[in-house]
């Protein structure tokens, strides 16, 4: 079993998120990402060509995944490291706990890793009597709060600085109660000094990997804080947990993906620390871990190869799709109910935990297409959400109003003339209903949405009829 | 193989490979696939490389400086390696840092005239209590203003992360255009398919924006990155 999901309650979760004023205040900050990504893309003339090639690198790798995995494994062993395979979350947790026990580990520091969230590693370590300390500032904050990340690159984006102050006062009881923690600078300084001690005391460091390079047997992590590096160089052992699709053939291929990753994620040309790790400490090295283990996780991914969701395995976890998603912007990440939120989560979650649990997520879309426009590896996210919807529809798992609405749409979609007539009519009616404000707060079959959000009122005519009028083509 | 001691892991490995191959509709023995993947590993084609970092030595250095500054690093240029200690002492003094400096046993650092400065020099890896450290870069990348450092007997990796003030010496002849040029140099030094334990690509000082997306320098790593271009 993986991390616990509340995905089947997506509708209730979303409702709660929309009425949570504190959350709505915090989510405002998520919008900075879109501006920064656009500026970074603008600054690099080769950005679109890099996206095309990033997609090609991933497609090539997936088509030869068995061979590159073999090559990668050979190189890790050659450089003195060990490779372990886990078919599912349970197996991955067991391997990591056994490794920690064999090393006599009492304390484990962790770099930020979505795969470790996916397998619920922290809870398992704690249950085994091993202390797990998240070291990425955002991950540390949510660990103190007992929460899951709400964003794949900004895990605490739903938290305000007042929340962090309260959490730190509760957790760091040995520090003077009178200290000033009103500003982010002071909060960061406190986290830095508290965590510095934890880094130095840890027995094992666990990191994820952005890429695993077959050519050299290297794992690559990308951070801005430097926490992933302190996690892996100070303890006696470094354990990497990564899923099978993180493999890339060569260092050059990794560079292609790195160039689109940071720009799509935070709008930086390069993250501060891009670290290549190959095996354990070498003879004569004055520091670094004495043991190096890689745990390679499948957890449902190998079954996605060759099928209609294979494209999703190109994902490099940049977060751009959620940053640009109007649904994510409105409800945040927790409403999605499992590890991966936003459009990428809506596609990946049903693949990994099953359509019965995750099948509502692909409805969390307005099909505006922004996610696909910004995805650095050009994953057709809306199309894949539609695939899931169709499957879910076939299985009759959808709530009745949704089935009814989609059925009606399908009826009209097969009859274009009738569809144009009906939507023209509806647009006129809705334009009237929203007159004066340009938006209206009620729409048929959309109660769950418009109860908390005003829907933009459409123009008097539909896009199709405007297009026909402007292009002069009547079809 | 690592897991062969554990019966369960071997079967996990086999099951994963079998499922990957079943999904892809292959056996793993097909010659054209093997040929294609082995050729890619052997040739490492470069893909799309941005123009930004390209150019002659002076152009590369100018781009490197501009990009490193964008990433909030500070820079200085000195004419000769012998002038590095004076510049390092000036930088530490101006930032009110204590007059101590840790370094590895890198020959190029060892031959610099540190005794002309008031700095107390310490050697070896950091235990987390050093405020200042200096290292020599393996290369510097113009494209993104990035320094590349490699671990080894002379170069402790801890110096790149534990001190507050990280100082990196870059030789003028080591400023390359792009990441691909560093990979070429790595292969020259460590052999094709080889690599040091750690390569650190570092672009500016440590930072975090995890609290309300407010960007702050000096998260877990150095608060300052000072680059001295020399030679
Ligand atoms: S689906 Fe695309 S945009 Fe979304 S996280 Fe993955 S790579 Fe980024």
């Amino acid at each position: 079993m993986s991390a616990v999901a509340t995905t089947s309650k997506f509708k209730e979760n979303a409702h709660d998120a929309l009425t949570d004023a504190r959350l709505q205040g915090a989510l405002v900050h998520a919008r900075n990402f879109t501006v920064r990504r656009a500026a970074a893309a603008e600054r690099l003339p080769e950005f679109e060509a890099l996206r095309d090639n990033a997609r090609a690198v991933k497609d090539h790798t997936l088509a030869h995944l068995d061979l590159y995995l073999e090559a990668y494994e050979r190189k890790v062993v050659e450089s003195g490291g060990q490779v372990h395979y886990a078919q599912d979350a349970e197996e991955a947790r067991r391997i990591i706990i056994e490794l920690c026990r064999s090393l006599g580990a009492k304390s484990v520091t962790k770099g930020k890793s979505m795969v470790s969230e996916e397998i619920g590693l922290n809870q398992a370590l704690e249950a085994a009597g091993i202390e797990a300390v998240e070291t990425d500032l955002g991950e540390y904050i949510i660990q103190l709060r007992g929460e899951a990340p709400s964003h794949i690159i900004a895990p605490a984006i739903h938290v305000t600085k007042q929340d962090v102050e309260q959490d730190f006062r509760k957790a760091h009881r040995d520090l003077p109660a009178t200290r000033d923690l009103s500003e982010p600078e002071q909060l960061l300084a406190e986290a830095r000094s508290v965590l510095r001690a934890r880094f130095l005391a840890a027995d094992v460091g666990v990191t994820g990997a952005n890429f695993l390079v077959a050519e050299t047997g290297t794992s690559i992590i990308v951070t801005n804080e430097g926490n992933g590096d302190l996690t892996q160089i100070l303890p006696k052992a470094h354990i990497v947990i990564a899923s099978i699709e993180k493999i890339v053939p060569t260092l050059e291929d990794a560079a292609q993906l790195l160039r689109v990753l940071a720009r799509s994620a935070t709008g930086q040309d390069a993250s501060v620390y891009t670290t290549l790790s190959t095996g354990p400490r070498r003879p004569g090295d004055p520091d670094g871990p004495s043991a190096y283990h890689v745990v390679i996780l499948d957890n449902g991914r190998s079954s996605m190869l060759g099928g209609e969701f294979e494209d999703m395995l190109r994902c490099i976890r940049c977060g751009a799709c959620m940053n640009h998603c109007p649904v994510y912007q409105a409800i945040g990440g927790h409403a999605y109910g499992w590890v991966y939120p936003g459009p990428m989560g809506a596609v990946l979650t049903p693949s990994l935990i099953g359509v019965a649990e995750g099948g509502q997520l692909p409805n969390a879309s307005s099909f505006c297409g922004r996610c696909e426009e910004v995805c650095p590896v050009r994953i057709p996210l809306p199309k894949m959400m539609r695939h899931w919807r169709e499957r879910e529809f076939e299985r009759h798992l959808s709530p009745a109003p949704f089935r009814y609405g989609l059925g009606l749409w399908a009826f009209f979609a097969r009859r274009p003339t009738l569809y144009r007539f009906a939507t023209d009519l509806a647009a006129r009616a809705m334009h009237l209903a929203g007159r004066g404000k340009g938006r209206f707060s009620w729409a048929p079959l959309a109660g769950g949405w418009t109860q908390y959000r005003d829907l933009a009122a459409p123009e008097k005519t539909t896009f199709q009829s405007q297009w026909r009028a402007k292009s002069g083509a009547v079809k | 193989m690592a897991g062969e001691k554990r019966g369960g892991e071997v079967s996990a490995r086999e099951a994963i490979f079998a499922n990957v191959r079943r999904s892809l509709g292959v056996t793993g023995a097909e010659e054209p696939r093997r040929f294609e993947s082995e050729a890619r590993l052997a040739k490492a084609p470069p893909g799309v490389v941005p123009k930004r970092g390209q150019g002659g030595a002076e152009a590369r250095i100018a781009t490197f400086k501009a990009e490193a500054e964008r990433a909030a690093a500070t820079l200085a240029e000195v004419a000769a390696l012998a002038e590095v200690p004076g510049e390092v002492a000036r930088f530490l003094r101006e930032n009110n840092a204590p007059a101590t400096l840790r370094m590895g046993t890198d020959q190029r650092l060892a031959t610099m005239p540190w005794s002309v400065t008031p700095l107390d020099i310490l050697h070896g890896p950091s235990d987390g209590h050093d405020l200042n450290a200096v290292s020599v870069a393996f290369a510097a990348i113009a494209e993104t203003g990035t320094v590349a450092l490699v671990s080894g007997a002379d170069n402790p990796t801890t110096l790149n992360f534990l001190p507050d003030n990280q100082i990196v010496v870059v030789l003028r002849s080591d400023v390359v255009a792009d990441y691909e040029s560093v990979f070429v140099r790595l292969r020259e030094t460590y052999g094709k398919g080889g690599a040091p334990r750690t390569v650190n690509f570092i672009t500016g000082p440590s930072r975090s924006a995890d609290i309300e997306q407010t960007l702050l320098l000096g998260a877990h790593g150095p608060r300052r990155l000072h680059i001295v271009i020399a030679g």
Side-chain angles (χ1 to χ4, degrees):
Chain A
M1 208 205 71
S2 304
V4 183
T6 63
T7 303
S8 59
K9 293 194 301 185
F10 173 72
K11 222 180 141 203
E12 292 87 330
N13 293 348
H15 170 282
D16 293 347
L18 288 167
T19 50
D20 182 342
R22 190 198 55 82
L23 174 68
Q24 292 297 322
L27 282 176
V28 171
H29 303 292
R31 298 181 194 162
N32 296 336
F33 282 122
T34 60
V35 180
R36 291 197 218 121
R37 177 205 169 269
E42 180 72 40
R43 219 183 145 241
L44 188 71
E46 296 89 351
F47 188 67
E48 293 305 317
L50 277 162
R51 287 177 65 191
D52 290 336
N53 202 45
R55 174 178 56 185
V57 165
K58 277 291 192 177
D59 282 342
H60 168 85
T61 311
L62 292 172
H64 300 81
L65 190 61
D66 52 329
L67 303 177
Y68 288 125
L69 259 173
E70 278 177 354
Y72 168 76
E73 178 190 85
R74 250 191 327 269
K75 294 307 288 191
V76 174
V77 173
E78 241 175 64
S79 63
Q82 297 190 33
V83 181
H84 313 261
Y85 290 88
Q87 281 179 273
D88 56 25
E90 199 280 319
E91 218 161 25
R93 290 192 301 255
R94 184 179 54 72
I95 293 168
I96 295 173
I97 287 169
E98 272 179 26
L99 284 172
C100 289
R101 286 207 173 123
S102 71
L103 292 155
K106 292 188 188 63
S107 164
V108 169
T109 42
K110 288 188 63 216
K112 184 174 148 32
S113 154
M114 291 309 296
V115 170
S116 96
E117 299 285 348
E118 179 180 328
I119 65 169
L121 182 59
N122 289 1
Q123 298 83 336
L125 285 169
E126 299 286 344
I130 301 162
E131 186 188 33
V133 184
E134 291 288 351
T135 62
D136 170 86
L137 178 58
E139 289 282 346
Y140 178 66
I141 291 168
I142 61 167
Q143 187 183 28
L144 292 182
R145 300 170 63 80
E147 290 178 336
S150 69
H151 190 289
I152 61 172
I153 66 155
I157 194 134
H158 60 287
V159 178
T160 64
K161 65 179 180 189
Q162 289 82 5
D163 297 330
V164 181
E165 173 173 358
Q166 278 180 15
D167 298 332
F168 281 15
R169 286 194 190 285
K170 231 191 295 167
H172 309 152
R173 289 204 179 273
D174 45 340
L175 297 173
T178 52
R179 69 196 189 280
D180 186 3
L181 286 178
S182 54
E183 290 307 318
E185 285 84 348
Q186 295 152 338
L187 294 166
L188 175 66
E190 181 159 315
R192 180 184 165 108
S193 77
V194 168
L195 285 168
R196 181 58 70 95
R198 315 309 296 266
F199 280 125
L200 294 167
D203 303 305
V204 169
V206 176
T207 70
N210 292 89
F211 308 106
L212 303 173
V213 185
E215 179 193 1
T216 48
T218 299
S219 56
I220 301 186
I221 59 166
V222 173
T223 76
N224 277 322
E225 297 182 6
N227 64 304
D229 291 279
L230 291 172
T231 296
Q232 59 164 288
I233 57 179
L234 295 174
K236 55 190 171 205
H238 176 196
I239 301 176
V240 179
I241 167 87
S243 46
I244 53 172
E245 83 283 13
K246 298 284 157 65
I247 297 271
V248 294
T250 65
L251 292 169
E252 275 73 1
D253 293 324
Q256 294 294 295
L257 296 164
L258 285 164
R259 285 190 175 101
V260 293
L261 174 60
R263 291 181 172 94
S264 303
T266 54
Q268 289 166 283
D269 288 344
S271 302
V272 177
Y273 302 109
T274 298
T275 298
L276 282 53
S277 305
T278 312
R281 182 195 289 222
R282 306 287 164 83
D285 278 1
D287 51 19
S290 310
Y292 177 76
H293 296 270
V294 186
V295 181
I296 296 186
L297 174 75
D298 182 344
N299 213 21
R301 288 163 174 85
S302 60
S303 300
M304 292 165 70
L305 286 166
E308 59 185 329
F309 299 106
E310 181 184 71
D311 290 345
M312 196 59 222
L313 295 175
R314 289 202 299 266
C315 176
I316 54 172
R317 307 286 189 266
C318 72
C321 55
M322 58 199 75
N323 294 336
H324 291 77
C325 175
V327 178
Y328 179 93
Q329 282 176 7
I331 63 175
H334 284 160
Y336 292 81
W338 197 57
V339 177
Y340 301 104
M344 59 81 69
V347 175
L348 192 60
T349 303
S351 297
L352 297 186
I353 65 173
V355 70
E357 179 67 37
Q360 275 204 45
L361 288 188
N363 299 317
S365 167
S366 63
F367 290 95
C368 67
R370 290 285 285 142
C371 50
E372 183 175 357
E373 271 166 41
V374 297
C375 175
V377 283
R378 304 197 193 279
I379 298 174
L381 293 155
K383 187 182 92 186
M384 292 199 298
M385 281 187 262
R386 231 159 8 235
H387 283 325
W388 276 126
R389 279 202 196 191
E390 283 156 14
R391 281 207 194 175
E392 195 202 6
F393 185 66
E394 282 157 17
R395 291 166 54 111
H396 292 280
L397 289 172
S398 318
F402 170 70
R403 272 207 311 273
Y404 175 63
L406 192 67
L408 203 63
W409 180 83
F411 170 81
F412 279 116
R414 281 193 295 270
R415 297 163 181 82
T417 318
L418 196 58
Y419 179 76
R420 279 202 295 272
F421 173 75
T423 50
D424 278 353
L425 202 69
R428 273 172 234 271
M430 286 166 89
H431 180 76
L432 283 178
R435 92 193 132 219
K437 305 189 279 182
R439 33 204 321 117
F440 51 92
S441 52
W442 177 88
L445 302 174
W449 180 255
T450 55
Q451 195 174 347
Y452 308 106
R453 272 285 174 284
D454 286 351
L455 204 62
E459 300 291 319
K460 213 180 315 173
T461 53
T462 63
F463 173 76
Q464 280 197 33
S465 61
Q466 285 184 48
W467 175 258
R468 280 195 308 276
K470 288 198 171 118
S471 63
V474 181
K475 233 182 108 193
Chain B
M1 205 100 337
E4 258 163 55
K5 283 174 254 125
R6 307 158 201 264
E9 279 181 50
V10 172
S11 70
R13 179 186 187 278
E14 280 158 11
I16 291 172
F17 274 93
N19 209 33
V20 166
R21 290 184 167 131
R22 191 177 316 121
S23 295
L24 291 174
V26 299
T27 65
E30 294 86 352
E31 273 309 313
R33 289 179 80 239
R34 291 222 164 248
F35 180 80
E36 214 185 312
S37 61
E38 278 160 22
R40 193 181 189 100
L41 290 173
K43 290 188 199 127
V48 179
V49 180
K51 287 210 185 66
R52 187 193 291 166
Q54 315 294 318
E58 288 313 308
R60 291 200 302 270
I61 289 169
T63 308
F64 170 72
K65 285 164 69 178
E67 294 297 321
E69 264 165 15
R70 271 177 61 91
T74 54
L75 287 117
E77 267 187 273
V78 297
L81 282 181
E83 291 172 32
V84 169
E87 168 53 28
V88 171
R90 181 205 63 78
F91 167 75
L92 293 176
R93 194 171 55 243
E94 277 180 19
N95 286 290
N96 295 319
T100 57
L101 181 66
R102 185 170 282 281
M103 62 181 71
T105 51
D106 189 304
Q107 258 324 79
R108 291 163 296 187
L109 291 173
T111 52
M112 289 175 189
W114 295 101
S115 57
V116 305
T117 69
L119 299 173
D120 278 337
I121 307 295
L122 303 159
H123 290 99
S126 176
D127 64 358
H129 297 95
D130 301 292
L131 288 172
N132 315 315
V134 64
S135 320
V136 182
F138 177 76
I141 303 168
E143 180 188 341
T144 47
T146 301
V147 288
L149 294 119
V150 296
S151 64
D154 316 338
N155 290 301
T157 302
T158 39
L159 301 194
N160 301 335
F161 296 97
L162 286 169
D164 275 22
N165 298 302
Q166 180 187 14
I167 302 159
V168 176
V169 180
V170 170
L171 303 185
R172 294 177 72 83
S173 54
D174 288 337
V175 180
V176 299
D178 42 49
Y179 290 79
E180 287 73 7
S181 306
V182 179
F183 301 149
V184 169
R185 286 182 163 221
L186 284 171
R187 290 184 188 114
E188 283 167 11
T189 310
Y190 299 91
K192 171 76 178 98
R197 151 67 198 166
T198 308
V199 180
N200 294 121
F201 289 115
I202 299 179
T203 312
S206 153
R207 68 200 61 189
S208 175
D210 272 343
I211 301 174
E212 296 193 344
Q213 290 291 296
T214 309
L215 185 69
L216 301 170
L217 297 184
H220 293 296
R223 299 167 202 271
R224 297 187 188 88
L225 171 64
H226 187 60
I227 299 168
V228 184
I229 302 174

